[in-house]
Amino acid sequence: MSHRILLLGAPGAGKGTQSAKLADEYGVEHVTTGDALRANKEMETEYGTPKSFMDAGELVPDPVVNEIVEAALSDADGFVLDGYPRNLDQAEYLSEITDLDAVILLDVDEEVLVDRLTGRRVCDDCGANYHVDFHPPEEPGVCDDCGGELIQREDDTEETARERLEVFYDNTEPVVDHFRDEGVLVEVDGEATPDEVFDRIRDVVEN
Ligand code: AP5
Ligand code: MG
Ligand code: ZN
């Protein structure tokens, strides 16, 4: 059976970490607007480059992200969708292009989110996620998986992290409420080890 999973959560909630595990476990596509935009940060659009929005912690305009998601989903059999929809217009667009089998919210306290974001390191080559305290690599600055260099995302400064959280509470909380009102939202406590959180998500997907 193919799975169409939507993973919602604030910046730092663990969407990327858990999506990678889900993609592995179920052989589905990891569709993430954040990674897609980072790979095309300098792309000229009629609104400017994605970089100009992302480095400020603001949302990239809907037409740009809608197009990315539509293309990615039309190629995917099953998927885990991470980082989209982030406002009600995107949620409306998504409902027109696909059905979902599971909608899961990763619930994490705000101060924990800030610590996770400011300590995050990502592999410049393969994109694997680390954290200086919570998930350190075996050798500092070096990716366990591919030996690539670990870097800090430009939007992971404390100031920009807090701005991204504001943007989440203003724009994306209404999306969470929308799925809750529809009765399809399952909330998962995201404050445990990544493996424990994954077990909780797997329970939801399989039951
Ligand atoms: P995006 O890349 O999606 O960033 P985000 O939503 O802010 O989420 P993050 O990637 O920061 O967090 P995450 O939940 O994936 O957490 P992670 O697993 O890495 O978007 C970036 C920007 O792109 C946006 O600001 C916007 O400008 C633009 N954009 C993207 N999508 C858009 C859209 N739809 N519309 C408009 N604009 C869009 O974990 C975080 C850290 O915590 C890591 O270090 C990890 O190792 C650690 N960690 C994870 N799980 C645990 C755990 N259980 N315990 C301890 N530590 C943990
Ligand atoms: Mg992410
Ligand atoms: Zn790597």
Side-chain angles (χ1 to χ4, degrees):
M1 158 194 182
S2 86
H3 294 278
R4 292 165 298 183
I5 303 162
L6 173 59
L7 213 48
L8 294 168
K15 302 182 298 294
T17 300
Q18 298 299 329
S19 293
K21 291 175 181 287
L22 284 163
D24 235 34
E25 174 93 2
Y26 297 115
V28 293
E29 207 76 41
H30 178 194
V31 176
T32 163
T33 44
D35 288 359
L37 290 166
R38 266 184 294 281
N40 295 285
K41 259 186 136 174
E42 310 286 350
M43 175 180 68
E44 283 299 339
T45 76
E46 61 186 285
Y47 312 96
T49 60
K51 181 179 168 57
S52 56
F53 299 95
M54 297 172 79
D55 288 357
E58 304 297 335
L59 296 185
V60 173
D62 292 345
V64 177
V65 288
N66 288 346
E67 192 179 320
I68 291 172
V69 170
E70 180 164 16
L73 295 191
S74 71
D75 289 343
D77 189 12
F79 58 81
V80 50
L81 183 55
D82 151 14
Y84 180 99
R86 271 176 138 91
N87 61 32
L88 286 171
D89 286 338
Q90 293 180 15
E92 169 71 29
Y93 189 82
L94 180 65
S95 73
E96 286 165 12
I97 59 175
T98 190
D99 292 323
L100 298 166
D101 301 315
V103 181
I104 298 168
L105 172 70
L106 288 176
D107 211 359
V108 176
D109 186 72
E110 179 162 1
E111 286 314 306
V112 176
L113 294 170
V114 174
D115 287 345
R116 285 191 185 178
L117 291 169
T118 52
R120 172 168 50 196
R121 299 294 181 272
V122 289
C123 175
D124 201 19
D125 289 338
C126 76
N129 254 333
Y130 297 87
H131 190 283
V132 290
D133 300 317
F134 308 142
H135 176 35
E138 275 170 36
E139 195 184 324
V142 181
C143 178
D144 292 346
D145 292 345
C146 78
E149 185 194 353
L150 302 187
I151 58 166
Q152 186 168 27
R153 267 170 51 175
E154 285 174 49
D155 59 354
D156 277 345
T157 61
E158 176 159 357
E159 191 192 350
T160 309
R162 289 196 185 275
E163 177 60 31
R164 286 158 56 206
L165 288 168
E166 283 308 311
V167 169
F168 174 82
Y169 296 124
D170 291 346
N171 296 271
T172 315
E173 279 283 356
V175 174
V176 172
D177 293 340
H178 158 78
F179 286 113
R180 189 181 286 119
D181 291 345
E182 281 194 334
V184 298
L185 185 77
V186 181
E187 300 193 41
V188 166
D189 181 356
E191 289 188 41
T193 67
D195 285 343
E196 285 168 328
V197 174
F198 184 62
D199 286 341
R200 295 171 185 172
I201 293 175
R202 197 170 31 198
D203 274 352
V204 173
V205 170
E206 293 178 9
N207 294 308

PDB file of all heavy atoms in Angstrom, residues 157-185:
ATOM      1  N   THR A 157      20.144  31.297  12.911  1.00  0.00           N
ATOM      2  CA  THR A 157      20.534  32.205  13.998  1.00  0.00           C
ATOM      3  C   THR A 157      19.340  32.349  14.933  1.00  0.00           C
ATOM      4  O   THR A 157      18.194  32.122  14.532  1.00  0.00           O
ATOM      5  CB  THR A 157      20.873  33.603  13.456  1.00  0.00           C
ATOM      6  OG1 THR A 157      19.700  34.125  12.821  1.00  0.00           O
ATOM      7  CG2 THR A 157      22.018  33.549  12.455  1.00  0.00           C
ATOM      8  N   GLU A 158      19.598  32.738  16.188  1.00  0.00           N
ATOM      9  CA  GLU A 158      18.478  32.837  17.130  1.00  0.00           C
ATOM     10  C   GLU A 158      17.434  33.845  16.645  1.00  0.00           C
ATOM     11  O   GLU A 158      16.234  33.590  16.707  1.00  0.00           O
ATOM     12  CB  GLU A 158      18.961  33.208  18.544  1.00  0.00           C
ATOM     13  CG  GLU A 158      17.767  33.405  19.461  1.00  0.00           C
ATOM     14  CD  GLU A 158      18.034  33.276  20.952  1.00  0.00           C
ATOM     15  OE1 GLU A 158      19.177  32.958  21.342  1.00  0.00           O
ATOM     16  OE2 GLU A 158      17.071  33.502  21.713  1.00  0.00           O
ATOM     17  N   GLU A 159      17.893  34.972  16.113  1.00  0.00           N
ATOM     18  CA  GLU A 159      16.949  36.017  15.674  1.00  0.00           C
ATOM     19  C   GLU A 159      16.034  35.503  14.554  1.00  0.00           C
ATOM     20  O   GLU A 159      14.814  35.680  14.601  1.00  0.00           O
ATOM     21  CB  GLU A 159      17.739  37.247  15.206  1.00  0.00           C
ATOM     22  CG  GLU A 159      16.865  38.451  14.980  1.00  0.00           C
ATOM     23  CD  GLU A 159      17.587  39.583  14.246  1.00  0.00           C
ATOM     24  OE1 GLU A 159      18.828  39.510  14.076  1.00  0.00           O
ATOM     25  OE2 GLU A 159      16.889  40.515  13.822  1.00  0.00           O
ATOM     26  N   THR A 160      16.621  34.882  13.543  1.00  0.00           N
ATOM     27  CA  THR A 160      15.805  34.413  12.418  1.00  0.00           C
ATOM     28  C   THR A 160      14.954  33.207  12.827  1.00  0.00           C
ATOM     29  O   THR A 160      13.830  33.053  12.369  1.00  0.00           O
ATOM     30  CB  THR A 160      16.698  34.082  11.212  1.00  0.00           C
ATOM     31  OG1 THR A 160      17.547  35.194  10.958  1.00  0.00           O
ATOM     32  CG2 THR A 160      15.864  33.821   9.967  1.00  0.00           C
ATOM     33  N   ALA A 161      15.490  32.380  13.725  1.00  0.00           N
ATOM     34  CA  ALA A 161      14.697  31.244  14.212  1.00  0.00           C
ATOM     35  C   ALA A 161      13.428  31.752  14.889  1.00  0.00           C
ATOM     36  O   ALA A 161      12.329  31.240  14.657  1.00  0.00           O
ATOM     37  CB  ALA A 161      15.527  30.397  15.181  1.00  0.00           C
ATOM     38  N   ARG A 162      13.569  32.782  15.724  1.00  0.00           N
ATOM     39  CA  ARG A 162      12.384  33.314  16.414  1.00  0.00           C
ATOM     40  C   ARG A 162      11.407  33.944  15.423  1.00  0.00           C
ATOM     41  O   ARG A 162      10.189  33.848  15.576  1.00  0.00           O
ATOM     42  CB  ARG A 162      12.791  34.314  17.503  1.00  0.00           C
ATOM     43  CG  ARG A 162      13.464  33.626  18.685  1.00  0.00           C
ATOM     44  CD  ARG A 162      13.519  34.510  19.932  1.00  0.00           C
ATOM     45  NE  ARG A 162      14.280  33.860  20.992  1.00  0.00           N
ATOM     46  CZ  ARG A 162      13.777  32.972  21.867  1.00  0.00           C
ATOM     47  NH1 ARG A 162      12.490  32.652  21.804  1.00  0.00           N
ATOM     48  NH2 ARG A 162      14.536  32.425  22.786  1.00  0.00           N
ATOM     49  N   GLU A 163      11.932  34.603  14.378  1.00  0.00           N
ATOM     50  CA  GLU A 163      11.059  35.155  13.341  1.00  0.00           C
ATOM     51  C   GLU A 163      10.289  34.032  12.641  1.00  0.00           C
ATOM     52  O   GLU A 163       9.082  34.139  12.382  1.00  0.00           O
ATOM     53  CB  GLU A 163      11.903  35.948  12.327  1.00  0.00           C
ATOM     54  CG  GLU A 163      11.129  36.507  11.148  1.00  0.00           C
ATOM     55  CD  GLU A 163      10.019  37.482  11.548  1.00  0.00           C
ATOM     56  OE1 GLU A 163      10.166  38.171  12.577  1.00  0.00           O
ATOM     57  OE2 GLU A 163       8.990  37.533  10.827  1.00  0.00           O
ATOM     58  N   ARG A 164      10.979  32.925  12.334  1.00  0.00           N
ATOM     59  CA  ARG A 164      10.306  31.797  11.673  1.00  0.00           C
ATOM     60  C   ARG A 164       9.207  31.224  12.564  1.00  0.00           C
ATOM     61  O   ARG A 164       8.164  30.814  12.076  1.00  0.00           O
ATOM     62  CB  ARG A 164      11.332  30.712  11.323  1.00  0.00           C
ATOM     63  CG  ARG A 164      12.216  31.117  10.135  1.00  0.00           C
ATOM     64  CD  ARG A 164      13.516  30.368  10.109  1.00  0.00           C
ATOM     65  NE  ARG A 164      13.350  28.923  10.102  1.00  0.00           N
ATOM     66  CZ  ARG A 164      14.269  28.080  10.564  1.00  0.00           C
ATOM     67  NH1 ARG A 164      15.395  28.529  11.077  1.00  0.00           N
ATOM     68  NH2 ARG A 164      14.035  26.794  10.496  1.00  0.00           N
ATOM     69  N   LEU A 165       9.457  31.204  13.884  1.00  0.00           N
ATOM     70  CA  LEU A 165       8.424  30.707  14.800  1.00  0.00           C
ATOM     71  C   LEU A 165       7.205  31.623  14.775  1.00  0.00           C
ATOM     72  O   LEU A 165       6.065  31.160  14.745  1.00  0.00           O
ATOM     73  CB  LEU A 165       8.985  30.573  16.220  1.00  0.00           C
ATOM     74  CG  LEU A 165       9.972  29.414  16.396  1.00  0.00           C
ATOM     75  CD1 LEU A 165      10.707  29.512  17.732  1.00  0.00           C
ATOM     76  CD2 LEU A 165       9.244  28.073  16.295  1.00  0.00           C
ATOM     77  N   GLU A 166       7.447  32.944  14.740  1.00  0.00           N
ATOM     78  CA  GLU A 166       6.322  33.893  14.637  1.00  0.00           C
ATOM     79  C   GLU A 166       5.519  33.637  13.367  1.00  0.00           C
ATOM     80  O   GLU A 166       4.292  33.639  13.378  1.00  0.00           O
ATOM     81  CB  GLU A 166       6.841  35.343  14.632  1.00  0.00           C
ATOM     82  CG  GLU A 166       7.259  35.866  15.980  1.00  0.00           C
ATOM     83  CD  GLU A 166       6.165  35.682  17.034  1.00  0.00           C
ATOM     84  OE1 GLU A 166       5.000  36.046  16.773  1.00  0.00           O
ATOM     85  OE2 GLU A 166       6.478  35.133  18.112  1.00  0.00           O
ATOM     86  N   VAL A 167       6.242  33.459  12.259  1.00  0.00           N
ATOM     87  CA  VAL A 167       5.572  33.207  10.978  1.00  0.00           C
ATOM     88  C   VAL A 167       4.747  31.919  11.074  1.00  0.00           C
ATOM     89  O   VAL A 167       3.628  31.834  10.566  1.00  0.00           O
ATOM     90  CB  VAL A 167       6.605  33.127   9.826  1.00  0.00           C
ATOM     91  CG1 VAL A 167       5.980  32.594   8.545  1.00  0.00           C
ATOM     92  CG2 VAL A 167       7.214  34.506   9.578  1.00  0.00           C
ATOM     93  N   PHE A 168       5.292  30.918  11.766  1.00  0.00           N
ATOM     94  CA  PHE A 168       4.540  29.673  11.948  1.00  0.00           C
ATOM     95  C   PHE A 168       3.264  29.932  12.745  1.00  0.00           C
ATOM     96  O   PHE A 168       2.178  29.512  12.335  1.00  0.00           O
ATOM     97  CB  PHE A 168       5.401  28.620  12.664  1.00  0.00           C
ATOM     98  CG  PHE A 168       4.631  27.372  13.011  1.00  0.00           C
ATOM     99  CD1 PHE A 168       4.430  26.375  12.062  1.00  0.00           C
ATOM    100  CD2 PHE A 168       4.075  27.207  14.273  1.00  0.00           C
ATOM    101  CE1 PHE A 168       3.689  25.231  12.365  1.00  0.00           C
ATOM    102  CE2 PHE A 168       3.331  26.062  14.587  1.00  0.00           C
ATOM    103  CZ  PHE A 168       3.142  25.078  13.625  1.00  0.00           C
ATOM    104  N   TYR A 169       3.367  30.616  13.890  1.00  0.00           N
ATOM    105  CA  TYR A 169       2.177  30.810  14.723  1.00  0.00           C
ATOM    106  C   TYR A 169       1.134  31.647  13.979  1.00  0.00           C
ATOM    107  O   TYR A 169      -0.067  31.391  14.085  1.00  0.00           O
ATOM    108  CB  TYR A 169       2.548  31.421  16.081  1.00  0.00           C
ATOM    109  CG  TYR A 169       3.425  30.491  16.903  1.00  0.00           C
ATOM    110  CD1 TYR A 169       4.669  30.884  17.386  1.00  0.00           C
ATOM    111  CD2 TYR A 169       3.012  29.174  17.159  1.00  0.00           C
ATOM    112  CE1 TYR A 169       5.478  30.004  18.112  1.00  0.00           C
ATOM    113  CE2 TYR A 169       3.811  28.292  17.887  1.00  0.00           C
ATOM    114  CZ  TYR A 169       5.045  28.706  18.352  1.00  0.00           C
ATOM    115  OH  TYR A 169       5.841  27.843  19.059  1.00  0.00           O
ATOM    116  N   ASP A 170       1.561  32.629  13.179  1.00  0.00           N
ATOM    117  CA  ASP A 170       0.612  33.479  12.462  1.00  0.00           C
ATOM    118  C   ASP A 170      -0.014  32.787  11.260  1.00  0.00           C
ATOM    119  O   ASP A 170      -1.203  32.943  10.998  1.00  0.00           O
ATOM    120  CB  ASP A 170       1.305  34.758  11.958  1.00  0.00           C
ATOM    121  CG  ASP A 170       1.690  35.689  13.098  1.00  0.00           C
ATOM    122  OD1 ASP A 170       1.201  35.479  14.227  1.00  0.00           O
ATOM    123  OD2 ASP A 170       2.483  36.618  12.855  1.00  0.00           O
ATOM    124  N   ASN A 171       0.781  32.069  10.488  1.00  0.00           N
ATOM    125  CA  ASN A 171       0.310  31.562   9.184  1.00  0.00           C
ATOM    126  C   ASN A 171      -0.036  30.080   9.187  1.00  0.00           C
ATOM    127  O   ASN A 171      -0.941  29.662   8.457  1.00  0.00           O
ATOM    128  CB  ASN A 171       1.387  31.777   8.115  1.00  0.00           C
ATOM    129  CG  ASN A 171       1.664  33.244   7.874  1.00  0.00           C
ATOM    130  OD1 ASN A 171       1.023  33.881   7.049  1.00  0.00           O
ATOM    131  ND2 ASN A 171       2.600  33.798   8.610  1.00  0.00           N
ATOM    132  N   THR A 172       0.705  29.285   9.954  1.00  0.00           N
ATOM    133  CA  THR A 172       0.578  27.835   9.840  1.00  0.00           C
ATOM    134  C   THR A 172      -0.302  27.235  10.929  1.00  0.00           C
ATOM    135  O   THR A 172      -0.951  26.210  10.703  1.00  0.00           O
ATOM    136  CB  THR A 172       1.970  27.168   9.804  1.00  0.00           C
ATOM    137  OG1 THR A 172       2.812  27.917   8.913  1.00  0.00           O
ATOM    138  CG2 THR A 172       1.884  25.740   9.296  1.00  0.00           C
ATOM    139  N   GLU A 173      -0.381  27.887  12.113  1.00  0.00           N
ATOM    140  CA  GLU A 173      -1.331  27.415  13.135  1.00  0.00           C
ATOM    141  C   GLU A 173      -2.750  27.300  12.576  1.00  0.00           C
ATOM    142  O   GLU A 173      -3.441  26.323  12.848  1.00  0.00           O
ATOM    143  CB  GLU A 173      -1.322  28.334  14.371  1.00  0.00           C
ATOM    144  CG  GLU A 173      -0.188  28.072  15.345  1.00  0.00           C
ATOM    145  CD  GLU A 173      -0.402  26.839  16.213  1.00  0.00           C
ATOM    146  OE1 GLU A 173      -1.464  26.212  16.121  1.00  0.00           O
ATOM    147  OE2 GLU A 173       0.523  26.497  16.970  1.00  0.00           O
ATOM    148  N   PRO A 174      -3.194  28.285  11.755  1.00  0.00           N
ATOM    149  CA  PRO A 174      -4.539  28.149  11.173  1.00  0.00           C
ATOM    150  C   PRO A 174      -4.689  26.900  10.296  1.00  0.00           C
ATOM    151  O   PRO A 174      -5.786  26.342  10.196  1.00  0.00           O
ATOM    152  CB  PRO A 174      -4.698  29.431  10.335  1.00  0.00           C
ATOM    153  CG  PRO A 174      -3.800  30.423  11.002  1.00  0.00           C
ATOM    154  CD  PRO A 174      -2.619  29.627  11.485  1.00  0.00           C
ATOM    155  N   VAL A 175      -3.596  26.467   9.681  1.00  0.00           N
ATOM    156  CA  VAL A 175      -3.637  25.232   8.878  1.00  0.00           C
ATOM    157  C   VAL A 175      -3.820  24.026   9.808  1.00  0.00           C
ATOM    158  O   VAL A 175      -4.611  23.119   9.527  1.00  0.00           O
ATOM    159  CB  VAL A 175      -2.343  25.077   8.042  1.00  0.00           C
ATOM    160  CG1 VAL A 175      -2.332  23.732   7.325  1.00  0.00           C
ATOM    161  CG2 VAL A 175      -2.193  26.233   7.068  1.00  0.00           C
ATOM    162  N   VAL A 176      -3.101  24.053  10.931  1.00  0.00           N
ATOM    163  CA  VAL A 176      -3.240  22.980  11.930  1.00  0.00           C
ATOM    164  C   VAL A 176      -4.685  22.936  12.415  1.00  0.00           C
ATOM    165  O   VAL A 176      -5.314  21.865  12.476  1.00  0.00           O
ATOM    166  CB  VAL A 176      -2.266  23.233  13.113  1.00  0.00           C
ATOM    167  CG1 VAL A 176      -2.534  22.241  14.243  1.00  0.00           C
ATOM    168  CG2 VAL A 176      -0.815  23.162  12.644  1.00  0.00           C
ATOM    169  N   ASP A 177      -5.243  24.105  12.738  1.00  0.00           N
ATOM    170  CA  ASP A 177      -6.630  24.175  13.222  1.00  0.00           C
ATOM    171  C   ASP A 177      -7.602  23.660  12.172  1.00  0.00           C
ATOM    172  O   ASP A 177      -8.592  22.988  12.498  1.00  0.00           O
ATOM    173  CB  ASP A 177      -6.999  25.614  13.591  1.00  0.00           C
ATOM    174  CG  ASP A 177      -6.211  26.117  14.798  1.00  0.00           C
ATOM    175  OD1 ASP A 177      -5.695  25.272  15.564  1.00  0.00           O
ATOM    176  OD2 ASP A 177      -6.105  27.351  14.962  1.00  0.00           O
ATOM    177  N   HIS A 178      -7.326  23.965  10.918  1.00  0.00           N
ATOM    178  CA  HIS A 178      -8.187  23.523   9.821  1.00  0.00           C
ATOM    179  C   HIS A 178      -8.259  21.990   9.771  1.00  0.00           C
ATOM    180  O   HIS A 178      -9.340  21.413   9.666  1.00  0.00           O
ATOM    181  CB  HIS A 178      -7.655  24.109   8.504  1.00  0.00           C
ATOM    182  CG  HIS A 178      -8.070  23.380   7.273  1.00  0.00           C
ATOM    183  ND1 HIS A 178      -9.328  23.523   6.707  1.00  0.00           N
ATOM    184  CD2 HIS A 178      -7.412  22.473   6.518  1.00  0.00           C
ATOM    185  CE1 HIS A 178      -9.404  22.743   5.648  1.00  0.00           C
ATOM    186  NE2 HIS A 178      -8.259  22.094   5.504  1.00  0.00           N
ATOM    187  N   PHE A 179      -7.101  21.322   9.871  1.00  0.00           N
ATOM    188  CA  PHE A 179      -7.119  19.858   9.843  1.00  0.00           C
ATOM    189  C   PHE A 179      -7.716  19.290  11.131  1.00  0.00           C
ATOM    190  O   PHE A 179      -8.364  18.242  11.109  1.00  0.00           O
ATOM    191  CB  PHE A 179      -5.701  19.301   9.615  1.00  0.00           C
ATOM    192  CG  PHE A 179      -5.211  19.471   8.202  1.00  0.00           C
ATOM    193  CD1 PHE A 179      -4.161  20.310   7.906  1.00  0.00           C
ATOM    194  CD2 PHE A 179      -5.817  18.770   7.152  1.00  0.00           C
ATOM    195  CE1 PHE A 179      -3.710  20.467   6.596  1.00  0.00           C
ATOM    196  CE2 PHE A 179      -5.375  18.925   5.844  1.00  0.00           C
ATOM    197  CZ  PHE A 179      -4.322  19.777   5.562  1.00  0.00           C
ATOM    198  N   ARG A 180      -7.520  20.001  12.243  1.00  0.00           N
ATOM    199  CA  ARG A 180      -8.122  19.556  13.507  1.00  0.00           C
ATOM    200  C   ARG A 180      -9.646  19.635  13.391  1.00  0.00           C
ATOM    201  O   ARG A 180     -10.353  18.693  13.755  1.00  0.00           O
ATOM    202  CB  ARG A 180      -7.621  20.419  14.666  1.00  0.00           C
ATOM    203  CG  ARG A 180      -8.042  19.888  16.034  1.00  0.00           C
ATOM    204  CD  ARG A 180      -7.552  20.767  17.173  1.00  0.00           C
ATOM    205  NE  ARG A 180      -6.136  20.646  17.441  1.00  0.00           N
ATOM    206  CZ  ARG A 180      -5.249  21.639  17.353  1.00  0.00           C
ATOM    207  NH1 ARG A 180      -5.633  22.856  16.965  1.00  0.00           N
ATOM    208  NH2 ARG A 180      -3.986  21.437  17.627  1.00  0.00           N
ATOM    209  N   ASP A 181     -10.153  20.736  12.835  1.00  0.00           N
ATOM    210  CA  ASP A 181     -11.601  20.901  12.673  1.00  0.00           C
ATOM    211  C   ASP A 181     -12.183  19.827  11.754  1.00  0.00           C
ATOM    212  O   ASP A 181     -13.327  19.402  11.927  1.00  0.00           O
ATOM    213  CB  ASP A 181     -11.928  22.284  12.086  1.00  0.00           C
ATOM    214  CG  ASP A 181     -11.634  23.408  13.075  1.00  0.00           C
ATOM    215  OD1 ASP A 181     -11.453  23.103  14.276  1.00  0.00           O
ATOM    216  OD2 ASP A 181     -11.565  24.576  12.635  1.00  0.00           O
ATOM    217  N   GLU A 182     -11.403  19.423  10.760  1.00  0.00           N
ATOM    218  CA  GLU A 182     -11.871  18.367   9.856  1.00  0.00           C
ATOM    219  C   GLU A 182     -11.858  16.994  10.518  1.00  0.00           C
ATOM    220  O   GLU A 182     -12.377  16.028   9.965  1.00  0.00           O
ATOM    221  CB  GLU A 182     -10.976  18.307   8.606  1.00  0.00           C
ATOM    222  CG  GLU A 182     -11.276  19.359   7.566  1.00  0.00           C
ATOM    223  CD  GLU A 182     -10.605  19.042   6.227  1.00  0.00           C
ATOM    224  OE1 GLU A 182      -9.562  18.336   6.224  1.00  0.00           O
ATOM    225  OE2 GLU A 182     -11.134  19.480   5.192  1.00  0.00           O
ATOM    226  N   GLY A 183     -11.212  16.903  11.678  1.00  0.00           N
ATOM    227  CA  GLY A 183     -11.173  15.642  12.418  1.00  0.00           C
ATOM    228  C   GLY A 183     -10.118  14.668  11.929  1.00  0.00           C
ATOM    229  O   GLY A 183     -10.154  13.482  12.276  1.00  0.00           O
ATOM    230  N   VAL A 184      -9.175  15.140  11.133  1.00  0.00           N
ATOM    231  CA  VAL A 184      -8.169  14.220  10.574  1.00  0.00           C
ATOM    232  C   VAL A 184      -6.785  14.374  11.212  1.00  0.00           C
ATOM    233  O   VAL A 184      -5.889  13.589  10.940  1.00  0.00           O
ATOM    234  CB  VAL A 184      -8.037  14.397   9.042  1.00  0.00           C
ATOM    235  CG1 VAL A 184      -9.358  14.063   8.360  1.00  0.00           C
ATOM    236  CG2 VAL A 184      -7.600  15.817   8.681  1.00  0.00           C
ATOM    237  N   LEU A 185      -6.642  15.378  12.089  1.00  0.00           N
ATOM    238  CA  LEU A 185      -5.315  15.638  12.659  1.00  0.00           C
ATOM    239  C   LEU A 185      -4.999  14.680  13.804  1.00  0.00           C
ATOM    240  O   LEU A 185      -5.819  14.486  14.696  1.00  0.00           O
ATOM    241  CB  LEU A 185      -5.248  17.076  13.190  1.00  0.00           C
ATOM    242  CG  LEU A 185      -3.885  17.523  13.707  1.00  0.00           C
ATOM    243  CD1 LEU A 185      -2.961  17.840  12.536  1.00  0.00           C
ATOM    244  CD2 LEU A 185      -4.009  18.738  14.619  1.00  0.00           C
TER     245      LEU A 185
END
